Amino acid sequence: MTHEDVQADAGIPKNFNAEELDPFRGVDFSQLERSLRRPRTFMSMLLSGIVAAMTLFALIPLFSVVGLLLWRGGRKLSIAAFTQLPPAPLEQNGGFGNAILGTLVIVGMALLISVPIGILSAIFLAQAKSGNRLASTVRFAAKVLTGFPSILAGVFAYGVVVTATGGYSALAGAVALSILMLPTILLTAEDAIRMVPSKMKEAAIGMGATDTQTVWMVLLPTAVPRILTGVMLAVARGAGETAPLLFTSLFSNYWLIWHGHVKLMQPTASLAVLIYNFAGMPFANQVELAWAAALVLVLLVLTANLIGQSLSRRQVE
Amino acid sequence: MPADSQISRPPSRIQIATDTAFRVLCQGFAWLALLIAVFIVLKIVIAALPAVRQYGLGFLTGRVWDPHKKVYSILPEIWGTLYSSVLALILGTAFGVAAAVFLAEGFVADYAFALLKIFKLQFHPVWGKLPRQVDNLLRNLIELLAAIPSVVYGLWGLFVVIPLVRPACHWLHAKMGWVPLFGTDLSGPGMLPAVIVLSIMILPTITAIGRGALVGVPSRLRMAAYGLGATRWETILAVTIPTASPGIFGGVVLAFGRALGETMALAMLVGNANVISASLFSPANTLAALLANAFPEASPKDVGVLMYAATALLAITLLVNAAGAYILQRTSSDPEGSKA
């Protein structure tokens, strides 16, 4: 069968010109191709490149900080660094064992203050009706407090604790840190309780549970991982803060626990203040110790962050 | 049927009492949290009152800080606080919003997908997850920037940023010293290193909030723009960013508040000099750095003056933070996020 025969069978006239029926006649396909010569495509590619470069550039400090910490701090890190006391000027070696202990004690005391207040208010906020004036005021105050300058928390603790007790102490530092930790704990705990599926709450109420029983037996157990996430994030923030400790817990070259007595009302060392003090000293040994302490502090903060994130992630899956 | 054989019973009197007590307790703690916030503000302001009475408004406009002559004023500190924060905000916003767009639009995932396509692995059960993982990794890395304590940034700034920028500053001052920005030379600590470190510290805030706002833009808006033939970047610049701008702006304001109150990095890098200068390389001082440096060795009489300075810082930051929280609350209560 020839080509003409097929055309005749299909009822197409013999003088048919294939080009006239072509729906894509006159379309220049090269126009539709993505070409960098076209200004719009070029702009798009260029901007993508710029944004990618800027994002990577923003990450350079992170790698620089971490790399330097590992290099300069890791060199000095030894068991002695964890067990010995800070050296005097021109003295060699030494460590910052008392500062690690001090940071842990101050953050722990800050938790004792901020966790009960934060979680109990969060329960109230989560249970309150949407129009509750007190709840929305507390929420707004907490949000404003998240951006509260850390140094002002120190000023407040100085005015309240240091002047009242007559001296710098671990307690004053803990009060300052608890102010910075409270909003984080409060807001994440409220979110956590609100995220509990409402059918669980309704089931408890339907069984005849009182509000308190619902909170303790249903809402809190379900919300605990997320609440702990908030607490760990607050710990991470508190451990890294320096400014509020500068003139509340000050610094000390001695152990917090001495001959079995815990001295909570004495000036107390902390990692962050040690880094600040030693970084400005003209002695190489002190600067090296500052780097090692910075490495320990960053590891501490990162561990708290990671624990916090893993707690809430497990629940999502 | 005897009443005691019923399974259900109303709550006992003790249970009702506990319930009421617990509810009152929770409400009491909510009041306590609010009172603490109010008390903090009042405590600082009241402690500042004697100094306010003694020095008046001249404290805010004078330029001398001399504890020996008992002359105090904080205009250079106010200037340094605002100048460093604004400069850091410009730098941090540029990079922060760029990173937010990069993360929100899934560029990395696209690149990873294209890369996998070359090896025909894009739907592989294990490798196919890679684009998503790369995306998450990048987001977590940006958030890690916020996890590093500010004193560590200060240490890094002292030993890395200052030596790094010093040659460039010498060159700029020598060649273009007539520009006010380069009017003085960098001799160790100064405004520029402080601003660089400060902008790194506020970048994660801008990126996290900005990314949230960009992701929240309804995809039908984006699709409509694509359907009209817009390129990816025409869509981003004309549709996505304007729609998300209230959220991004709220993040920028919060970052500004953070920059104003940041202490350690500035106390270590800004140079603590009582001067007002437009130069990027001149040492300066900020309110927070002044407090950090002067408080530990302040005599009881000086404390009142420092409380006055703290009140000034408090007023500035509370104003900025309340504005940021208000903007974010208003945009998040708007479900479409499309008020712009």
Side-chain angles (χ1 to χ4, degrees):
Chain A
M1 208 194 257
T2 62
H3 191 64
E4 280 78 24
D5 292 337
V6 177
Q7 282 196 339
D9 281 358
I12 298 172
K14 270 202 172 153
N15 57 352
F16 160 74
N17 181 359
E19 279 191 4
E20 275 176 20
L21 278 183
D22 184 358
F24 295 116
R25 200 160 59 101
V27 174
D28 180 5
F29 280 99
S30 70
Q31 283 271 323
L32 294 176
E33 268 166 26
R34 211 166 129 109
S35 157
L36 281 181
R37 294 220 187 100
R38 206 148 301 128
R40 290 173 65 201
T41 325
F42 180 72
M43 268 312 274
S44 209
M45 296 287 275
L46 184 71
L47 284 170
S48 299
I50 291 175
V51 165
M54 282 173 93
T55 308
L56 294 181
F57 192 74
L59 286 174
I60 290 177
L62 180 69
F63 293 117
S64 170
V65 169
V66 172
L68 263 181
L69 281 176
L70 292 176
W71 178 56
R72 291 195 69 163
R75 231 173 16 183
K76 186 80 184 174
L77 216 56
S78 60
I79 295 179
F82 291 95
T83 55
Q84 292 186 3
L85 290 171
L90 293 177
E91 194 183 328
Q92 285 308 304
N93 297 319
F96 39 77
N98 63 339
I100 298 178
L101 185 67
T103 294
L104 295 178
V105 168
I106 295 173
V107 171
M109 281 163 67
L111 278 181
L112 285 182
I113 303 170
S114 54
V115 165
I117 303 178
I119 292 181
L120 286 175
S121 342
I123 291 172
F124 173 77
L125 258 61
Q127 298 280 65
K129 294 187 189 75
S130 61
N132 191 309
R133 192 81 60 76
L134 174 64
S136 52
T137 318
V138 172
R139 206 171 293 133
F140 187 76
K143 276 182 188 160
V144 174
L145 267 192
T146 29
F148 192 67
S150 54
I151 185 107
L152 290 182
V155 171
F156 169 73
Y158 182 93
V160 173
V161 186
V162 175
T163 47
T165 59
Y168 303 106
S169 63
L171 180 70
V175 168
L177 287 191
S178 68
I179 289 164
L180 297 170
M181 292 156 82
L182 179 62
T184 315
I185 295 176
L186 199 160
L187 292 173
T188 46
E190 191 208 340
D191 269 354
I193 297 171
R194 275 184 191 279
M195 271 184 174
V196 176
S198 60
K199 56 182 184 232
M200 293 177 73
K201 191 176 157 188
E202 283 152 15
I205 295 170
M207 301 266 286
T210 62
D211 271 3
T212 310
Q213 286 166 333
T214 315
V215 166
W216 281 101
M217 293 171 183
V218 177
L219 294 184
L220 281 184
T222 322
V224 149
R226 284 178 185 282
I227 294 178
L228 283 181
T229 299
V231 173
M232 289 317 285
L233 290 183
V235 166
R237 173 156 193 219
E241 283 293 353
T242 317
L245 299 180
L246 277 179
F247 42 86
T248 50
S249 64
L250 215 67
F251 192 73
S252 150
N253 280 324
Y254 305 103
W255 289 99
L256 185 65
I257 302 166
W258 194 247
H259 294 304
H261 295 287
V262 184
K263 297 177 168 168
L264 291 181
M265 298 317 288
Q266 296 288 321
T268 307
S270 54
L271 277 174
V273 177
L274 177 124
I275 298 169
Y276 176 62
N277 287 347
F278 280 13
M281 282 190 183
F283 311 111
N285 184 37
Q286 263 76 356
V287 172
E288 293 303 313
L289 270 180
W291 280 102
L295 178 63
V296 174
L297 182 63
V298 167
L299 288 179
L300 204 73
V301 169
L302 286 190
T303 316
N305 262 322
L306 287 180
I307 293 175
Q309 281 175 12
S310 68
L311 279 169
S312 61
R313 197 164 298 151
R314 199 182 307 148
Q315 213 193 17
V316 174
E317 282 164 9
Chain B
M1 194 192 268
D4 58 346
S5 77
Q6 281 184 351
I7 297 173
S8 66
R9 56 168 178 76
S12 68
R13 204 171 291 165
I14 298 173
Q15 279 167 335
I16 292 177
T18 348
D19 184 49
T20 327
F22 184 68
R23 270 199 252 185
V24 171
L25 183 76
C26 284
Q27 187 161 12
F29 270 90
W31 275 109
L32 182 67
L34 189 60
L35 285 182
I36 290 176
V38 175
F39 182 56
I40 294 168
V41 176
L42 283 184
K43 180 75 197 171
I44 295 176
V45 173
I46 287 172
L49 277 182
V52 174
R53 241 175 258 134
Q54 192 181 343
Y55 295 96
L57 286 177
F59 185 72
L60 301 174
T61 54
R63 297 180 171 216
V64 187
W65 180 279
D66 191 347
H68 300 297
K69 291 183 191 158
K70 300 284 166 207
V71 182
Y72 303 99
S73 48
I74 55 165
L75 188 63
E77 280 75 22
I78 295 177
W79 161 258
T81 304
L82 294 175
Y83 194 50
S84 63
S85 300
V86 167
L87 289 178
L89 198 67
I90 293 170
L91 209 59
T93 305
F95 282 90
V97 172
V101 170
F102 191 72
L103 292 175
E105 293 286 322
F107 280 102
V108 212
D110 287 357
Y111 294 155
F113 190 80
L115 195 71
L116 288 176
K117 217 167 157 187
I118 297 172
F119 300 107
K120 304 226 183 299
L121 285 170
Q122 71 267 42
F123 298 121
H124 188 272
V126 177
W127 288 101
K129 286 181 188 158
L130 192 73
R132 225 194 138 92
Q133 285 168 345
V134 176
D135 225 21
N136 280 336
L137 175 74
L138 201 63
R139 203 172 72 222
N140 286 334
L141 281 180
I142 295 269
E143 272 172 20
L144 261 190
L145 275 175
I148 293 176
S150 60
V151 68
V152 176
Y153 274 122
L155 188 68
W156 177 74
L158 271 182
F159 291 97
V160 176
V161 176
I162 291 181
L164 199 69
V165 298
R166 200 183 275 162
C169 297
H170 283 317
W171 188 83
L172 276 172
H173 174 61
K175 300 279 175 192
M176 306 208 287
W178 48 273
V179 180
L181 281 179
F182 313 130
T184 58
D185 205 355
L186 186 80
S187 57
M191 194 56 115
L192 183 68
V195 165
I196 292 175
V197 171
L198 198 54
S199 63
I200 296 167
M201 299 178 70
I202 60 173
L203 181 137
T205 310
I206 298 176
T207 302
I209 297 179
R211 184 187 161 276
L214 288 168
V215 169
V217 172
S219 61
R220 55 170 199 272
L221 291 180
R222 216 169 294 178
M223 293 307 151
Y226 289 146
L228 288 170
T231 63
R232 184 181 210 169
W233 271 96
E234 284 163 355
T235 309
I236 293 172
L237 293 178
V239 177
T240 321
I241 290 183
T243 312
S245 59
I248 298 176
F249 185 66
V252 170
V253 175
L254 280 188
F256 188 51
R258 201 143 295 174
L260 290 169
E262 173 48 42
T263 314
M264 294 323 295
L266 287 160
M268 292 166 90
L269 296 173
V270 86
N272 305 315
N274 223 27
V275 288
I276 300 180
S277 163
S279 168
L280 285 177
F281 310 145
S282 150
N285 206 355
T286 72
L287 286 170
L290 172 79
L291 291 173
N293 286 317
F295 233 112
E297 49 221 29
S299 64
K301 272 189 181 172
D302 294 345
V303 167
V305 182
L306 290 173
M307 287 289 183
Y308 195 175
T311 308
L313 178 63
L314 180 74
I316 298 173
T317 49
L318 277 192
L319 212 66
V320 172
N321 278 328
Y326 175 73
I327 293 168
L328 278 182
Q329 206 162 39
R330 211 185 50 179
T331 50
S332 62
S333 64
D334 174 19
E336 293 284 291
S338 53
K339 246 184 191 168

